[in-house]
Amino acid sequence: MNTNQNHIDDLIGKYLASEATRAERTEVESWIEESPDNRAYFKHFQIIFERASHSSADQEFNTDEAWMKLKGRLSQRRGKTISISAYWPVLRVAATLLFVAGAAYLLYQWGDVPVETVAYKADDVIVRDTLPDGSKTILNRGTTISYAYNPRSNERRLQLSGEAFFDVAHDEEKSFIIESQEVLIEDLGTKFNVRANPEGETIEVYVESGEVAFYTLDDPGLNLIAGETGVYDKTSKSFTRLQQMDTNKLAYSTGVFLFRNADLASIVEDLNAVYDTKVRLSNEALKNCRLNVSFRNENIDDIVEIIAATLKLSVTKEGEEYILSGVSCGD
């Protein structure tokens, strides 16, 4: 780690331990505002202190060993090694707090601590609901989540299988973390979508507003801001950042489709992902038909009629399935 990073780590330690001067506090706060990565780094350091401040376990501990554990956690998040600085007494406080926080966690695991747990499931319908903390969620079909709040650690933790959109009731005192398979998604004040189907090859996070941290225990991953998508490849265990997202993939939660020069095969795929009544093309020749059209909370009957009229196709219905037919577009 370079000298400048050593310096800011020292200042953060003093800042959180209430040992910083006014000038040092100003310097830390200015550094935090410089970038999302700085803000996230400070946030993770702060969580250690905040969680520990709620613990009251009386334990004998090895401060040096505890500091080494703290150093390891921070270096894992940044992918760098954090060296012991001149502010060793201050950072020993962090080590002490980390150790006590660990003891508190064990008390939570084995002690009589009330933990609020609620499960939600969307089978064949899209489910909209409100979590106990006031956060809004929309579950796509086949999705399950469980929500648990630990009052001792002030942590809201969710388990997710499938796809869901979250509008988080942000609370600086209560972290909001989603676990899905091997990845973790931590809210830093935002609205975001998570697609984590167990059979899929990737896990995707799209941020509509605000910011999230997207990572694993072995990889610091990505900090994503509004408009960005993060993709985690389960095979290569790697993260990729995308600057754009096909917002039609979120139509299950927004009700909005926006097709610009889209091929009919993709349009049908997106519609079938949202509506119970399915659409099918009668022949392969129709797949490459192109269309510019948008829909906002339309019912599937009207959508199919508009597509058919625009492309001069015929439409029939068999049971719960619409069939679009034609020799080719415009014929």
Side-chain angles (χ1 to χ4, degrees), residues 134-147:
S135 298
K136 309 293 185 181
T137 186
I138 305 172
L139 278 62
N140 206 351
R141 292 176 177 85
T143 298
T144 59
I145 63 172
S146 65
Y147 170 100

Side-chain angles (χ1 to χ4, degrees), residues 55-89:
S55 357
S56 58
D58 295 326
Q59 299 284 339
E60 293 183 2
F61 53 87
N62 183 321
T63 305
D64 292 350
E65 180 181 349
W67 162 240
M68 294 304 294
K69 291 181 180 178
L70 172 61
K71 185 180 75 169
R73 285 183 62 175
L74 293 176
S75 63
Q76 182 183 61
R77 293 290 300 142
R78 296 186 62 87
K80 300 178 181 179
T81 301
I82 296 177
S83 59
I84 299 174
S85 70
Y87 293 104
W88 168 249

Side-chain angles (χ1 to χ4, degrees), residues 13 17 45 48-49 52 66-67 70 89-99:
F45 207 160
I48 295 172
F49 280 82
W67 162 240
L70 172 61
V90 173
L91 294 179
R92 283 171 67 93
V93 173
T96 300
L97 293 176
L98 175 62
F99 189 91

Side-chain angles (χ1 to χ4, degrees), residues 165-214:
F165 182 86
F166 297 92
D167 182 354
V168 178
H170 190 62
D171 188 335
E172 290 289 345
E173 301 299 322
K174 299 176 182 177
S175 58
F176 187 99
I177 300 174
I178 298 171
E179 294 183 23
S180 187
Q181 299 164 68
E182 64 258 49
V183 304
L184 298 157
I185 302 104
E186 183 172 351
D187 161 62
L188 301 177
T190 190
K191 297 179 182 179
F192 59 97
N193 191 80
V194 180
R195 180 179 297 143
N197 297 313
E199 68 278 7
E201 297 179 355
T202 62
I203 296 174
E204 300 178 13
V205 176
Y206 167 70
V207 180
E208 180 178 297
S209 65
E211 181 182 1
V212 301
F214 184 31

Side-chain angles (χ1 to χ4, degrees), residues 250-261:
L250 302 180
Y252 80 93
S253 62
T254 64
V256 177
F257 292 95
L258 180 61
F259 299 111
R260 290 290 176 261
N261 195 33

Side-chain angles (χ1 to χ4, degrees), residues 9-157:
D9 286 339
D10 296 339
L11 289 183
I12 291 174
K14 295 179 70 176
Y15 185 99
L16 294 174
S18 298
E19 297 287 341
T21 65
R22 178 178 297 180
E24 288 170 334
R25 291 183 64 84
T26 300
E27 183 177 351
V28 171
E29 290 164 359
S30 298
W31 178 84
I32 291 170
E33 296 302 319
E34 286 178 1
S35 73
D37 286 341
N38 289 357
R39 193 156 53 250
Y41 181 55
F42 177 83
K43 175 69 174 177
H44 287 293
F45 207 160
Q46 185 183 45
I47 286 172
I48 295 172
F49 280 82
E50 290 178 346
R51 291 179 184 174
S53 68
H54 295 287
S55 357
S56 58
D58 295 326
Q59 299 284 339
E60 293 183 2
F61 53 87
N62 183 321
T63 305
D64 292 350
E65 180 181 349
W67 162 240
M68 294 304 294
K69 291 181 180 178
L70 172 61
K71 185 180 75 169
R73 285 183 62 175
L74 293 176
S75 63
Q76 182 183 61
R77 293 290 300 142
R78 296 186 62 87
K80 300 178 181 179
T81 301
I82 296 177
S83 59
I84 299 174
S85 70
Y87 293 104
W88 168 249
V90 173
L91 294 179
R92 283 171 67 93
V93 173
T96 300
L97 293 176
L98 175 62
F99 189 91
V100 175
Y105 178 74
L106 291 176
L107 287 177
Y108 155 66
Q109 290 289 339
W110 301 107
D112 185 18
V113 177
V115 178
E116 179 182 13
T117 303
V118 184
Y120 303 82
K121 185 176 182 180
D123 291 319
D124 298 325
V125 295
I126 295 169
V127 172
R128 297 171 182 266
D129 216 322
T130 301
L131 302 178
D133 67 340
S135 298
K136 309 293 185 181
T137 186
I138 305 172
L139 278 62
N140 206 351
R141 292 176 177 85
T143 298
T144 59
I145 63 172
S146 65
Y147 170 100
Y149 171 60
N150 178 2
R152 175 160 288 168
S153 65
N154 267 351
E155 181 179 85
R156 298 167 289 174
R157 188 170 287 261

Side-chain angles (χ1 to χ4, degrees), residues 214-230:
F214 184 31
Y215 59 98
T216 69
L217 294 177
D218 299 318
D219 190 323
L222 305 170
N223 270 50
L224 302 170
I225 59 175
E228 291 186 334
T229 300

